[in-house]
Amino acid sequence: MLKAIILVGGPMKGTRFRPLSLELPKPLFPVAGFPIIYHHIEACSQVPDLREILVIGFYQPNEALNKFIMQSQQEFQIQIRYLQEYTALGTAGGIYHFRDQILTGNPEMFFVMNADVCGDFPLMEMLNFHRSKGEGAYGTILATEATRQQSLTYGCIVENKDTHEVLHYVEKPETFVSPTISCGIYLFSPHIFKTLEVTFKKNLEDNYNYCDLNLRVPGFDFQTPSKEVIRLEQDIFIPMAGTGQLFVFSTSRFWSQIKSAGAAVYANRHYLAIYQRTHPERLAKNCEGKPRIIGDVFIHPTAIVHPTAVLGPNVTIGRNVTVCEGVRVRETIVLEGATLQAHCCVLHSIVGWHSTVGMWTRVEGTPNDPNPNKPFAKLEIPCMFSTDGKLNPSITVIGSNVQVPPEVIILNSIVLPHKDLNGCYKNQIIL
Ligand code: GDD
Ligand code: GTP
């Protein structure tokens, strides 16, 4: 029997995703018509004998999360539970804290998946690879390739090319180490808990020394880390490298992080493309009396789209959205309850929940897609501001419940929720 863990983090995480993550936990943000972690769950449901998924994070359980878990359980006929950390315990602290729940039923192995990534996850291939490494293998990391520059913002791995053993691991190095980067998707044998226990005990001891020092040096307030925090990358992978217990499985399939709104639009495009193979029925088709569809488009069955609208490529129209006549949408996610009034044009943007874009208005953003001339380039997540303090051009994000008036242009801007705009805006954050 197998299990999977999805690490969803908590409310202090996902800051680069604001204002969209102000409304609902980022892992539930819909990409290609479904919450980000729905795609993880769907990938897990394809693995035979994977019986339980544990979603671990430090969000307070809320209605949206509970409802999502209940619906996914029913849809995939798989047990799914949310386990809440009392505080941020790091990427492995929660795994150790909830070890009894994870080990219940004696799973042979378990996957661990970062929630903020998307991809065509090769879980079965990872499983077969890990099994082929025998009893001594405690963990396998899914890896892909990045450019030298971009690799510095990921976990970097040096492997033995013949055995695929991890020889060296550095988390977000300052100088180039290796173009092989961790995808934040892992497979572990239960043996890993031995390593976690050793680290946990060592951290406890170090923590005790910290406190001791605090008592002995009056006036000094050493910051005391939560004693249960364990970082999978620094505390576990770094010491495991070179011991013969940790392996790397490389994929050349689609994979990307979802850290920013721009990344969600990019992920949307790729998940829609994957539907061509996995779920062609989810993609809208051209037919008489229906809107014109260009490329991959997802339209929620409850949305009302006027037959004169033109949608695509890479558009997702959410639940209960209204798209009026003559509207043009491309490379955009339109969230639940939004209205696109007649003849508006929305390009490279996200339109928030229950917002309205007025007639003849143009909402446009600038994508920062990977450079196609650079092999293995990943999506850039540029700084929000340039050195002279200007907002760098990116996807336009309209927060929830925003009214964009008719006949204006909103270009490369971020609009916070509940705004009633009254003119044109370019390269601005509208607070
Ligand atoms: N439950 C829980 N508790 N989850 C957490 C915590 C925590 O305290 N901290 C982070 N997470 C979750 C996040 O929600 C996210 O899904 C994942 O763990 C990793 O988050 P980050 O700590 O922000 O790391 P990162 O995304 O910058 O880098 C990680 O992922 C890269 C691939 O996307 C690292 O694992 C890198 O090595 C890796 O390349
Ligand atoms: P490329 O093919 O990438 O060169 O794009 P394009 O030159 O066709 O135009 P652009 O990317 O600016 O716009 C995408 C689509 O939206 C095009 O099919 C345009 O016809 C349409 N479009 C552009 N501006 C408007 C507008 O203001 N209103 C409406 N309704 N449609 C528009």
Side-chain angles (χ1 to χ4, degrees):
M1 190 261 280
L2 302 163
K3 292 196 184 189
I5 292 165
I6 305 177
L7 296 172
V8 291
M12 291 106 72
K13 291 260 163 194
T15 48
R16 281 174 283 181
F17 211 68
R18 288 178 187 162
L20 298 166
S21 54
L22 296 175
E23 305 293 320
L24 94 172
K26 175 177 137 183
L28 297 185
F29 183 83
V31 169
F34 298 93
I36 292 176
I37 60 169
Y38 176 97
H39 298 282
H40 294 58
I41 295 174
E42 185 164 46
C44 290
S45 76
Q46 313 279 311
V47 179
D49 218 23
L50 198 152
R51 303 265 179 83
E52 188 177 44
I53 300 173
L54 300 168
V55 177
I56 302 184
F58 49 98
Y59 289 101
Q60 287 290 343
N62 56 50
E63 202 193 316
L65 190 62
N66 292 341
K67 195 170 150 202
F68 168 75
I69 288 180
M70 238 172 56
Q71 286 175 346
S72 309
Q73 282 204 105
Q74 278 178 353
E75 178 173 347
F76 295 108
Q77 291 297 310
I78 207 166
Q79 169 130 320
I80 307 176
R81 283 189 296 148
Y82 177 61
L83 303 176
Q84 190 196 352
E85 293 166 20
Y86 60 93
T87 179
L89 296 180
T91 40
I95 300 176
Y96 186 69
H97 184 82
F98 293 113
R99 60 195 177 278
D100 291 344
Q101 317 249 20
I102 298 168
L103 293 173
T104 305
N106 279 329
E108 177 204 352
M109 284 171 221
F110 59 94
F111 288 97
V112 172
M113 308 175 88
N114 286 359
D116 61 357
V117 298
C118 60
D120 197 357
F121 304 122
L123 301 185
M124 269 317 288
E125 290 84 341
M126 274 179 87
L127 190 61
N128 293 334
F129 170 85
H130 190 81
R131 281 186 177 138
S132 76
K133 294 297 165 192
E135 281 286 296
Y138 287 17
T140 291
I141 305 177
L142 181 68
T144 186
E145 200 152 327
T147 63
R148 284 175 77 95
Q149 186 53 39
Q150 289 183 324
S151 67
L152 308 184
T153 59
Y154 297 92
C156 294
I157 303 165
V158 180
E159 66 167 322
N160 175 326
K161 290 279 177 210
D162 300 322
T163 61
H164 303 293
E165 185 199 333
V166 175
L167 298 177
H168 192 51
Y169 183 98
V170 190
E171 182 63 19
K172 305 190 180 107
E174 286 188 4
T175 53
F176 176 73
V177 170
S178 158
T180 306
I181 58 160
S182 158
C183 294
I185 304 286
Y186 322 101
L187 179 61
F188 294 113
S189 307
H191 301 304
I192 194 72
F193 284 107
K194 283 191 231 156
T195 316
L196 287 171
E197 187 181 348
V198 170
T199 308
F200 179 78
K201 288 194 172 144
K202 186 177 167 298
N203 285 359
L204 268 192
E205 245 168 55
D206 292 352
N207 188 268
Y208 175 78
N209 292 339
Y210 254 135
C211 298
D212 190 40
L213 212 55
N214 262 342
L215 290 176
R216 281 190 288 118
V217 186
F220 252 90
D221 184 21
F222 293 95
Q223 230 196 348
T224 322
S226 167
K227 58 187 192 313
E228 279 203 72
V229 169
I230 309 176
R231 299 161 306 170
L232 192 55
E233 300 83 357
Q234 293 91 336
D235 299 335
I236 306 296
F237 291 157
I238 294 176
M240 269 177 92
T243 63
Q245 297 169 342
L246 191 60
F247 291 85
V248 52
F249 179 80
S250 295
T251 180
S252 52
R253 293 202 211 163
F254 163 65
W255 175 87
S256 180
Q257 281 186 325
I258 309 187
K259 294 284 186 194
S260 62
V265 172
Y266 182 71
N268 186 59
R269 179 201 307 169
H270 285 279
Y271 273 136
L272 291 175
I274 292 172
Y275 288 169
Q276 289 176 17
R277 187 187 82 232
T278 58
H279 290 286
E281 75 287 355
R282 286 185 189 164
L283 295 171
K285 292 180 189 59
N286 279 301
C287 40
E288 196 65 35
K290 293 272 179 164
R292 191 162 141 236
I293 304 296
I294 302 169
D296 299 330
V297 174
F298 174 92
I299 304 177
H300 195 275
T302 57
I304 300 169
V305 184
H306 197 275
T308 58
V310 180
L311 309 180
N314 309 321
V315 167
T316 290
I317 303 290
R319 188 187 293 271
N320 295 325
V321 165
T322 307
V323 179
C324 302
E325 71 236 48
V327 165
R328 177 72 176 99
V329 190
R330 126 181 207 176
E331 302 279 352
T332 287
I333 300 175
V334 185
L335 297 168
E336 179 168 349
T339 303
L340 306 183
Q341 291 183 340
H343 307 288
C344 71
C345 176
V346 185
L347 313 169
H348 301 284
S349 300
I350 294 179
V351 180
W353 299 273
H354 308 287
S355 288
T356 301
V357 177
M359 283 169 79
W360 296 103
T361 274
R362 183 179 181 96
V363 173
E364 183 168 0
T366 303
N368 27 52
D369 286 359
N371 182 345
N373 298 317
K374 280 196 188 164
F376 315 114
K378 300 272 164 291
L379 189 77
E380 289 284 353
I381 303 181
C383 289
M384 237 171 158
F385 299 97
S386 58
T387 41
D388 54 357
K390 292 212 179 96
L391 187 67
N392 280 327
S394 71
I395 296 291
T396 286
V397 180
I398 310 275
S400 66
N401 297 288
V402 168
Q403 304 292 321
V404 185
E407 299 181 31
V408 297
I409 299 183
I410 311 291
L411 187 64
N412 302 336
S413 293
I414 296 173
V415 185
L416 266 74
H418 303 283
K419 293 284 136 197
D420 230 334
L421 304 187
N422 54 14
C424 299
Y425 293 90
K426 184 179 167 190
N427 301 342
Q428 282 190 46
I429 297 186
I430 303 151
L431 297 168

